[in-house]
Amino acid sequence: EEDSSIEKVTLKEDEKKPLVEENYGLPVIKDYLGILVSLIIPENQHKHNNSTKVFGLHLLNTAIELAGDKFPQHPRLFTLVSDPIFKNVLYTIQSTDKLSLLQAALQLFTTMTIILGDHLEMQVELTIKTIFDSLLDSNVTTETKIRSSSVKEMLIEQIAILWTRSPSFFTHIFVNYDCNLDRSDLSIEFLKSLTRLALPESALTTADSVPPICLEGLVSVVDDMFEHLQGIDPKTFREMKEESDILKQRERKTEFI
C-alpha cells in the first residue's frame, strides 16, 4: 500500500510537469525580455529615467550571459535579441553621452558579440563601424556632434573587452568577415582604426588612455599569431596555407573586389 501511494504521488507530480513548463517556460521568458526591452526603447525615454534604463540593460546582459548560447535554438527569443535589443543598444551607443547608460549598453554589446557574434554578423559589423566612426570623428555632420573625450575613453575601454576576453578575437572575425564575400573586411578595418588611434597624437582628439589601450589590442594580435605558430614547421605552414579553404575564399573575395 505504501508503494502504491508513492507511485500515485509520483504520477501526479509528472502530470503537473507539462503545466509548469507551459506556465513558466519560453512564453514567460519572452514576455520578461519584452518588458526589459520596453525600458530601453527611445519611444519610452520620457517614461523611464536613466537608472531604470541602466537597470534594464544590466538585466538583459545577465540573461545573455547565462543563457544566450541557447537563444538561437528558440527563434522567438533570438528574434528579440537580433532586432529590438540590438537595435536599441546601437541607438544608445550612437546617441547618449551619459556614461553610466553608455557603459551598460557597451557591456551588453560586447556580451552579445562574444556569445552570439556568429549569429549576429550584420549587427556586430554595423555597431563596430559606428563605434570607430565616433572615435575617429568620421561622418560628422551638422546634425551629429563630436563625442567628448570621456565618451571616447569609455568606448575604447569597453570594446577592449572583446580581445581581452577572447584572445583569438581578430582571427575569428577575419575568418567570419574578411573571408566572407557577403561581409566587409571587418578585421582589417578594425586593425587600421586601432593603428590610427594607437598613435600618441590621437590622444589630442580622444583621451590619454586611448593610445595605450589600442596598442595593447595590436599586441594581442601578434601574441595570438605567435602562439598559434609555435611548434609548426615552416614547410608545413606553407603547405597548410596553400591548402586552406578559408584563405582560398579570401583570395577569391580579393580578386572579385
Side-chain angles (χ1 to χ4, degrees), residues 133-150:
D133 282 347
S134 295
L135 285 166
L136 296 166
D137 297 330
S138 304
N139 300 329
V140 175
T141 64
T142 53
E143 297 179 359
T144 59
K145 58 183 180 180
I146 294 175
R147 310 297 288 273
S148 67
S149 59
S150 57

Side-chain angles (χ1 to χ4, degrees), residues 1-16:
E1 292 179 2
E2 192 172 330
D3 291 340
S4 62
S5 62
I6 291 173
E7 288 177 4
K8 288 179 181 178
V9 170
T10 305
L11 285 171
K12 287 181 180 178
E13 288 178 351
D14 290 340
E15 288 172 1
K16 290 179 181 178

Side-chain angles (χ1 to χ4, degrees), residues 207-227:
D208 290 342
S209 63
V210 170
I213 292 174
C214 293
L215 188 59
E216 286 175 6
L218 296 172
V219 170
S220 74
V221 179
V222 178
D223 285 344
D224 185 52
M225 288 182 179
F226 178 77
E227 186 176 339

Side-chain angles (χ1 to χ4, degrees), residues 11-139:
L11 285 171
K12 287 181 180 178
E13 288 178 351
D14 290 340
E15 288 172 1
K16 290 179 181 178
K17 282 182 181 178
L19 184 61
V20 170
E21 181 65 26
E22 183 180 343
N23 290 339
Y24 299 99
L26 290 176
V28 173
I29 298 172
K30 182 177 178 294
D31 290 343
Y32 177 67
L33 291 177
I35 291 170
L36 296 182
V37 170
S38 71
L39 299 179
I40 64 172
I41 59 175
E43 290 83 352
N44 290 343
Q45 61 182 332
H46 299 299
K47 293 182 181 180
H48 307 298
N49 58 26
N50 187 62
S51 60
T52 302
K53 295 174 188 175
V54 171
F55 182 60
L57 288 165
H58 283 321
L59 289 177
L60 286 168
N61 186 70
T62 302
I64 301 297
E65 281 188 330
L66 292 176
D69 58 331
K70 302 293 190 299
F71 279 30
Q73 300 171 20
H74 307 286
R76 286 185 294 173
L77 296 182
F78 182 70
T79 300
L80 275 174
V81 176
S82 63
D83 188 15
I85 292 177
F86 223 114
K87 182 173 69 177
N88 287 294
V89 165
L90 175 59
Y91 174 81
T92 302
I93 292 172
Q94 201 169 20
S95 61
T96 190
D97 286 331
K98 296 176 180 177
L99 295 183
S100 58
L101 185 58
L102 179 62
Q103 182 181 26
L106 287 165
Q107 183 183 30
L108 180 52
F109 165 66
T110 55
T111 300
M112 290 190 291
T113 300
I114 292 168
I115 295 175
L116 290 167
D118 291 346
H119 304 278
L120 298 165
E121 291 182 345
M122 188 182 300
Q123 292 90 331
V124 170
E125 182 180 340
L126 179 60
T127 307
I128 288 177
K129 184 179 183 304
T130 300
I131 289 171
F132 279 113
D133 282 347
S134 295
L135 285 166
L136 296 166
D137 297 330
S138 304
N139 300 329

